[in-house]
Amino acid sequence: ERNFEANIPKLCFFTFVIGLGNIQAGFAISGNNKPHGIKAKFGWTRDEATLYNTIISSSAIFGIVVGSLVGGNFITRGRRLALIVFNFFAAIAVTLTMFENLPMICIGRFFFGFCCGVFSVAGPKMLDETVPIHLNSSFGTATNTFLSGGIMIAVVLGAILPEDKDFDGQKADGNWRILYGFPYICQFFTILIFMCCFREDSITFTISQGKDEEALALIKKVYSPKEDPLEILASLKGKSQKGSSNVTLG
């Protein structure tokens, strides 16, 4: 059985869009480590800052854990739909963290983490169901790469915050909102690109739903123009009917 040639630039772009969710997950994990300005604005003591910063950080991590556990329930109606809807919810959650109110920040961080947990389920699933089988080893690590990228971005953005000892600077500074608001960029581009460039769900999922035309539309984008889309579709449908371990329909 021959391997069909992929359209690598389009496939990389598709992977990037999905990877934006993993960037947010990495950011949620690491983006809690330098909220110095919040400490000053609330007037916390050192012990209070340690306690409340731990609560804020734990809120996001707990949200990721819960979202990862239940995320499978949200992708049954579509992986793409789940990514769009939860990016919208994630934007609302991020907005809650913009207020100088501890309960709202914690609630916002929890639900942002929850959305990231869903991204960590829906994104890799959609990628696995679209990338040609012979390229799985090359593109399969992309989600971890983007996750690490999100962690790195959070660390780099921490440089815009005042020094920990600069209490007056922390009190006047509003850059902590930039740190918490970075995910807006990922959310905006994820929704925009899915609405404009990739309006189809994953290839295997659409085949399982009997939406051959939708599957063909994405096949034409991620496979080389030299290949016959109908031949690719027939090959993938044949594997699914045989119950191939390389094709997931759930």
Side-chain angles (χ1 to χ4, degrees), residues 68-85:
S68 299
L69 289 174
V70 303
N73 298 320
F74 298 112
I75 67 173
T76 54
R77 294 188 178 182
R79 291 70 163 113
R80 174 180 172 273
L81 177 63
L83 288 170
I84 292 174
V85 169

Side-chain angles (χ1 to χ4, degrees), residues 16-231:
F16 168 74
V17 179
I18 291 176
L20 290 173
N22 293 90
I23 288 177
Q24 292 184 69
F27 195 85
I29 293 170
S30 183
N32 306 282
N33 296 329
K34 295 187 177 183
H36 304 324
I38 298 178
K39 170 186 173 183
K41 291 179 184 301
F42 282 109
W44 293 334
T45 64
R46 182 180 296 274
D47 290 340
E48 287 174 336
T50 300
L51 172 63
Y52 295 135
N53 285 340
T54 300
I55 293 174
I56 293 172
S57 300
S58 300
S59 298
I61 303 300
F62 182 55
I64 292 175
V65 172
V66 176
S68 299
L69 289 174
V70 303
N73 298 320
F74 298 112
I75 67 173
T76 54
R77 294 188 178 182
R79 291 70 163 113
R80 174 180 172 273
L81 177 63
L83 288 170
I84 292 174
V85 169
F86 279 93
N87 267 282
F88 178 76
F89 287 154
I92 296 175
V94 169
T95 300
L96 294 179
T97 67
M98 296 292 106
F99 297 93
E100 293 181 22
N101 180 283
L102 181 61
M104 289 187 71
I105 290 174
C106 292
I107 292 171
R109 295 301 291 175
F110 170 79
F111 282 108
F112 173 62
F114 182 90
C115 293
C116 289
V118 176
F119 300 155
S120 70
V121 175
K125 187 74 168 175
M126 187 172 187
L127 192 63
D128 180 63
E129 294 177 342
T130 301
V131 172
I133 294 172
H134 66 284
L135 293 177
N136 273 346
S137 59
S138 300
F139 285 85
T141 60
T143 51
N144 289 333
T145 301
F146 284 110
L147 183 74
S148 301
I151 295 173
M152 182 190 71
I153 291 172
V155 173
V156 171
L157 286 180
I160 68 175
L161 299 176
E163 294 293 330
D164 195 22
K165 298 179 180 179
D166 184 8
F167 184 82
D168 292 333
Q170 293 173 22
K171 199 166 185 178
D173 183 72
N175 285 344
W176 62 274
R177 286 193 173 92
I178 297 177
L179 188 67
Y180 277 171
F182 167 78
Y184 281 137
I185 299 174
C186 298
Q187 293 148 11
F188 172 77
F189 282 107
T190 299
I191 294 173
L192 177 67
I193 296 172
F194 268 133
M195 297 300 292
C196 298
C197 302
F198 296 106
R199 307 186 69 174
E200 310 85 15
D201 214 316
S202 68
I203 294 173
T204 305
F205 178 77
T206 51
I207 290 175
S208 72
Q209 298 297 303
K211 300 177 181 179
D212 289 359
E213 291 301 319
E214 188 174 336
L216 276 172
L218 188 55
I219 286 173
K220 291 176 182 178
K221 292 177 181 178
V222 300
Y223 283 87
S224 171
K226 302 175 185 177
E227 301 288 359
D228 181 2
L230 290 174
E231 183 182 355

Side-chain angles (χ1 to χ4, degrees), residues 1-4 131-134 204 207 223 231-249:
E1 180 182 340
R2 76 183 185 88
N3 294 322
F4 296 100
V131 172
I133 294 172
H134 66 284
T204 305
I207 290 175
Y223 283 87
E231 183 182 355
I232 297 172
L233 178 63
S235 175
L236 292 174
K237 292 181 74 172
K239 290 176 183 176
S240 65
Q241 289 170 358
K242 293 175 184 177
S244 170
S245 60
N246 288 321
V247 179
T248 54
L249 296 180

